[in-house]
Amino acid sequence: AQKVTQAQTEISVVEKEDVTLDCVYETRDTTYYLFWYKQPPSGELVFLIRRNSFDEQNEISGRYSWNFQKSTSSFNFTITASQVVDSAVYFCALSEARVNKLVFGAGTILRVKS
Amino acid sequence: DAGVIQSPRHEVTEMGQEVTLRCKPISGHNSLFWYRQTMMRGLELLIYFNNNVPIDDSGMPEDRFSAKMPNASFSTLKIQPSEPRDSAVYFCASTPSPLLNTEAFFGQGTRLTVV
């Protein structure tokens, strides 16, 4: 069975601080896909990144970066120099190969204060 | 493209009433998903379709829930009769292909309140 654990229920930081959101996953598949989604206060789910299990290269996109480590089954997300607009709920998700259904973690509430 | 379109955005209904949620996926997308978000259970998959055919409905909570996809551009999720515990945000999502594991594009969601 697949499972995604986001142990941090809520994180509060002050603007300009760096923050890392943790994600640990479980799967028996050798091929799988990992995702991060953002849910701002308005409620929609916004796609941030997709990573397949064979690509362990870290990725950076502006202030966002992702650290995928298969050895620890983790796919952590770091926001550098956080901003108030980053305040949202962030979800990590997992899907198995050839089946697009997502298994979501419980989400981490990020509050960035000015 | 307008993205995934869900209607209504908000629905308030009385217990026992029938509720129908609607979804129009992105044109050309072949897979459609219905998710439910609650405080207690988080985001969970209810059912998904590939090429209008239901593939996995194991997440549908009980027989009061049913979903249809009569054509490639429309799907419904029906609850009959509704109960207060069905109150949640229901999201519809679509992806281009069942084989590519691309990201899912989500609609804005329907916030359902059953009183």
Side-chain angles (χ1 to χ4, degrees):
Chain A
Q2 299 185 322
K3 184 179 178 181
V4 176
T5 301
Q6 294 180 255
Q8 304 151 307
T9 303
E10 184 170 339
I11 301 175
S12 289
V13 299
V14 177
E15 211 170 14
K16 298 184 183 177
E17 285 185 9
D18 299 347
V19 58
T20 295
L21 310 181
D22 297 333
C23 173
V24 174
Y25 62 91
E26 296 175 28
T27 180
R28 294 180 181 177
D29 298 326
T30 54
T31 303
Y32 51 89
Y33 295 80
L34 296 163
F35 302 80
W36 276 94
Y37 281 84
K38 174 182 179 180
Q39 187 174 42
S42 50
E44 72 272 24
L45 285 160
V46 178
F47 166 77
L48 295 178
I49 190 172
R50 162 183 173 265
R51 176 64 89 222
N52 74 55
S53 52
F54 296 108
D55 183 2
E56 287 193 71
Q57 281 194 0
N58 293 333
E59 180 157 341
I60 298 175
S61 176
R63 296 184 297 107
Y64 294 171
S65 62
W66 291 268
N67 184 343
F68 176 30
Q69 292 199 354
K70 254 176 133 170
S71 60
T72 56
S73 297
S74 65
F75 187 42
N76 297 337
F77 173 31
T78 297
I79 302 174
T80 302
S82 59
Q83 300 176 1
V84 173
V85 293
D86 296 327
S87 297
V89 183
Y90 290 86
F91 291 96
C92 182
L94 169 69
S95 73
E96 58 188 274
R98 298 181 305 283
V99 181
N100 273 351
K101 60 180 184 179
L102 295 168
V103 174
F104 283 91
T108 296
I109 301 170
L110 175 63
R111 302 190 196 278
V112 182
K113 303 176 182 178
S114 57
Chain B
D1 201 318
V4 176
I5 300 173
Q6 292 187 245
S7 64
R9 290 292 310 277
H10 302 273
E11 176 80 37
V12 180
T13 190
E14 290 186 348
M15 183 174 62
Q17 296 297 307
E18 176 180 298
V19 176
T20 299
L21 311 181
R22 297 172 175 78
C23 175
K24 176 178 168 42
I26 293 173
S27 177
H29 281 196
N30 295 322
S31 296
L32 183 140
F33 306 80
W34 283 99
Y35 290 88
R36 179 172 68 174
Q37 184 176 26
T38 61
M39 290 294 291
M40 292 296 292
R41 300 175 65 89
L43 275 158
E44 52 182 347
L45 178 69
L46 299 178
I47 185 171
Y48 78 96
F49 297 82
N50 285 344
N51 299 313
N52 313 337
V53 176
I55 302 300
D56 182 353
D57 65 354
S58 59
M60 296 286 262
E62 47 196 276
D63 291 346
R64 297 184 297 106
F65 286 69
S66 63
K68 294 182 179 179
M69 192 164 185
N71 57 63
S73 60
F74 183 65
S75 176
T76 60
L77 177 67
K78 185 179 293 186
I79 308 172
Q80 165 64 18
S82 58
E83 297 182 3
R85 60 190 166 126
D86 302 329
S87 297
V89 179
Y90 291 81
F91 286 100
C92 177
S94 69
T95 62
S97 163
L99 301 177
L100 297 179
N101 284 98
T102 57
E103 66 270 24
F105 295 81
F106 283 81
Q108 298 273 62
T110 295
R111 181 173 295 276
L112 173 66
T113 303
V114 183
V115 298

